[in-house]
Amino acid sequence: MMKRARITSEAGNALVTTLIVTASVAPLGAFALMQARLDLLLQHNTRDALELFYVAESGLEHALADLARDPVFDRLLAGPDGRAGTADDREFPFQAPPPPVFPSAPLRYQVEVEPRSPGLVDIIARGFGNGTAAHAVAASVRQSAVPFVPAAVYSAAERVTVALNEGIGISGFDRSGQQDPQPALALATDAATDALRTGLDPVAAAQLRGAGGTPSIGTVSFPAVETLAAAFAGDPSARVIGPAIEGPIGSGATVCPGSLEVGNAEGDGVLIVHGNLQVTGQFSFSGVLFVLGDVIFDRGSDVHIVGSILQGSGRGQLHGLGIGTVAYDSQVVQQLDLQFPGRLPRRALVSGWRELS
Amino acid sequence: MGNRGTSLVELLVGILLLGVFAVVVHQFFRTVLHGVRVLEVASEAQEAARIGVQQMVRDLRGAGFSPNTPLPDGIRLATADAVEVQSDLNGDGDTADANEVVGYSLSRSARTLMRILGQAPPQPMIPDLAPDGLALAYLDADGMPLPMANGRVDDGDRERIRRIDVILRIEIAHPDPAYRQPLRALETATVALRNR
């Protein structure tokens, strides 16, 4: 007789049940985890790319804002140390160094200048994040065809005092009508501009007309007036005059080694005065006046200056007590540039934007 | 009793209960997996829409680039479902080089977003577009939509385009044939043209 088989113990039933349930659930869990991880990776990549794009854009905007304040093309190629031919030539010459991280670690940007062709550079901003992730955008910047003079009157002095009576006007509106209005008066720093605005009397303020309304005062970064003046003064054709002048000054470059008192006189070209310029009579001049001291138009003077006055950093008085006008004229500046090629700075103009990676 | 073990009846009842449990588990997982599949397809659709719009934004944003001065005709074609832009990337004065012409269009027959690169024929980029899967609107400097005559912005008005509104709609058939409604994804963007 066959013996009936019996399972004689329940031991292990719980284990078998647990294994069955686990085997059923585990693949589902693994699939869900894998899917979630994949989604997370995609989200991270998308977010990182967007984040780095905006970081790179911030770097570019920083550089372009800097450039708007200091629109001189030549400085772009010389790097932060201002000297061409050194190791930092490809670094963008920020006026204030960029933050080490932006907006927070590990994000940061780096801006470089890449020469593209003569008179044309690319400003390339790269945003960096974790690891090797990077994104780059670029703006092409070209040298303007025409020379750049920032205003009817530019002063590099830290402290500028302006006294103008009702009979004299300073105009930043381009007399030849070829360019947009410039400031009537441009200063080198925001501090100088703020100080002048605070202390400027209403009569003088009303005489400053040009870009930005009245009083037309702007802050512009511009190469050292002394350096520009020296470049003109070094021209072989430059003529030296004494401390006082009457009659025709002539054309071309005229240099006065000290202060200059001008009676009834007229001229054009470049007049470089290493000291103060004091006008006492009827003075007509077409061109650029470099004055490294104070500018004083006495009572009784009748001044007609077309072009621009560039004042050095040493002294900052601009007193117009007579009558007349100082008017910005881009055509006069261009004619001077033709006469003395390469001595006036060029403006940097942004001509294109593109995404590199 | 005691340690007599499991009888055949007990074993059969156990197997029956396990069978019932397996059916319940199967139904549960089937529902969950179905949900996962739906989510997966919806996620794929959304991802495809996002990738498509991102690529379009990137290509359109730099329209008209030229290192010397922006091209006045940076936008060559502007219609409600197609756009073509050009740039002079290497500054050689023409737009005939690689990647200098980029375009997007909706192929209604293939329900596909097509990408045009240079002189090459259009290539499929994103499939499963809705019948009105690509919608483009062109705005001027004041944010006002530019009129379209015969479905396109006039040649004279193209220079006035400053922004482009992009809408990409994707429709993918529901993974469960019982559902007739497709799964939809929508992605939109406004592109500010940087060289205008």
Side-chain angles (χ1 to χ4, degrees):
Chain A
M1 193 174 159
M2 192 188 270
K3 195 174 178 182
R4 284 198 341 200
R6 286 187 73 90
I7 298 169
T8 54
S9 171
E10 291 177 4
N13 283 1
L15 178 64
V16 169
T17 309
T18 307
L19 283 175
I20 290 169
V21 172
T22 307
S24 311
V25 173
L28 184 69
F31 176 78
L33 271 176
M34 202 175 67
Q35 191 66 31
R37 189 168 170 272
L38 200 64
D39 282 352
L40 267 176
L41 278 175
L42 283 170
Q43 292 283 355
H44 275 186
N45 276 347
T46 306
R47 197 190 64 187
D48 286 354
L50 201 61
E51 212 166 44
L52 290 179
F53 170 73
Y54 283 116
V55 170
E57 272 281 272
S58 302
L60 189 62
E61 286 302 321
H62 184 181
L64 295 182
D66 236 37
L67 198 58
R69 273 179 53 82
D70 186 2
V72 182
F73 184 84
D74 299 339
R75 79 177 179 97
L76 295 177
L77 299 164
D81 68 358
R83 285 179 300 158
T86 52
D88 71 349
D89 282 4
R90 294 210 160 176
E91 234 178 277
F92 185 85
F94 282 111
Q95 290 179 353
V101 293
F102 180 85
S104 59
L107 301 171
R108 66 189 170 86
Y109 60 75
Q110 186 180 315
V111 185
E112 289 174 6
V113 180
E114 188 85 36
R116 199 177 170 112
S117 62
L120 185 67
V121 298
D122 277 349
I123 297 177
I124 300 167
R126 289 189 174 84
F128 296 98
N130 283 316
T132 54
H135 203 106
V137 291
S140 295
V141 174
R142 68 182 165 85
Q143 195 174 32
S144 65
V146 294
F148 170 55
V149 169
V153 178
Y154 167 78
S155 178
E158 281 181 20
R159 185 173 166 75
V160 179
T161 56
V162 176
L164 300 170
N165 70 18
E166 287 171 348
I168 193 156
I170 297 179
S171 169
F173 293 106
D174 185 7
R175 201 164 150 272
S176 62
Q178 291 183 345
Q179 283 183 3
D180 292 336
Q182 304 275 54
L185 176 60
L187 305 182
T189 63
D190 284 333
T193 305
D194 293 344
L196 177 65
R197 280 182 186 277
T198 309
L200 193 64
D201 79 84
V203 176
Q207 308 312 311
L208 298 171
R209 301 183 198 98
T214 304
S216 172
I217 305 171
T219 305
V220 178
S221 198
F222 192 64
V225 173
E226 289 79 0
T227 308
L228 295 176
F232 279 99
D235 191 88
S237 68
R239 201 165 50 87
V240 178
I241 58 170
I245 191 159
E246 286 277 346
I249 296 173
S251 300
T254 308
V255 183
C256 176
S259 292
L260 178 67
E261 186 179 320
V262 180
N264 295 325
E266 60 179 20
D268 58 75
V270 182
L271 176 58
I272 300 155
V273 182
H274 284 273
N276 300 333
L277 171 70
Q278 185 173 13
V279 180
T280 57
Q282 197 168 21
F283 178 44
S284 295
F285 191 83
S286 173
V288 175
L289 276 159
F290 290 92
V291 183
L292 306 188
D294 294 326
V295 178
I296 300 157
F297 305 145
D298 277 350
R299 279 179 213 287
S301 65
D302 184 359
V303 177
H304 291 276
I305 295 170
V306 175
S308 185
I309 298 176
L310 305 176
Q311 189 178 39
S313 58
R315 315 234 344 148
Q317 278 191 37
L318 175 63
H319 287 185
L321 308 174
I323 57 169
T325 54
V326 178
Y328 172 76
D329 190 319
S330 65
Q331 205 158 29
V332 167
V333 174
Q334 284 175 45
Q335 278 167 4
L336 193 67
D337 186 61
L338 289 173
Q339 203 178 345
F340 298 95
R343 288 189 172 79
L344 287 172
R346 289 291 199 275
R347 193 190 279 265
L349 303 170
V350 178
S351 52
W353 178 98
R354 69 203 163 108
E355 208 167 334
L356 296 179
S357 61
Chain B
M1 301 297 278
N3 58 358
R4 281 192 304 122
T6 307
S7 69
L8 181 59
V9 174
E10 286 169 338
L11 192 61
L12 287 173
V13 169
I15 289 170
L16 184 67
L17 286 175
L18 197 62
V20 171
F21 173 72
V23 168
V24 170
V25 166
H26 174 260
Q27 282 302 324
F28 170 73
F29 284 158
R30 200 171 154 226
T31 309
V32 170
L33 280 172
H34 179 260
V36 166
R37 179 73 192 131
V38 169
L39 281 176
E40 194 183 45
V41 171
S43 167
E44 272 170 19
Q46 194 65 50
E47 198 60 37
R50 189 181 302 157
I51 287 168
V53 166
Q54 272 178 4
Q55 188 64 45
M56 287 183 77
V57 166
R58 189 190 162 112
D59 286 337
L60 298 179
R61 197 156 40 196
F65 169 82
S66 168
N68 296 307
T69 186
L71 303 174
D73 53 350
I75 297 177
R76 299 204 320 182
L77 173 73
T79 75
D81 61 7
V83 62
E84 220 170 285
V85 300
Q86 60 183 352
S87 305
D88 178 13
L89 297 176
N90 57 4
D92 66 351
D94 64 46
T95 58
D97 303 287
N99 303 335
E100 291 191 334
V101 173
V102 184
Y104 291 91
S105 64
L106 167 67
S107 165
R108 288 182 193 278
S109 55
R111 288 185 52 202
T112 299
L113 177 69
M114 309 297 285
R115 185 166 189 248
I116 303 154
L117 205 55
Q119 310 304 321
Q123 297 294 316
M125 186 181 162
I126 307 280
D128 300 315
L129 259 62
D132 58 347
L134 176 63
L136 299 161
Y138 305 89
L139 314 175
D140 65 12
D142 300 322
M144 299 304 291
L146 289 165
M148 288 196 206
N150 301 321
R152 66 170 57 204
V153 177
D154 277 349
D155 291 357
D157 278 346
R158 284 208 308 270
E159 278 187 38
R160 293 171 53 207
I161 298 173
R162 294 293 178 274
R163 284 191 287 157
I164 303 175
D165 278 351
V166 180
I167 300 174
L168 204 60
R169 291 188 185 91
I170 291 196
E171 277 186 10
I172 298 182
H174 202 289
D176 186 343
Y179 290 86
R180 287 188 181 175
Q181 288 291 329
L183 294 171
R184 293 191 175 94
L186 172 81
E187 193 78 16
T188 65
T190 298
V191 188
L193 306 181
R194 298 293 303 265
N195 293 307
R196 292 266 168 142

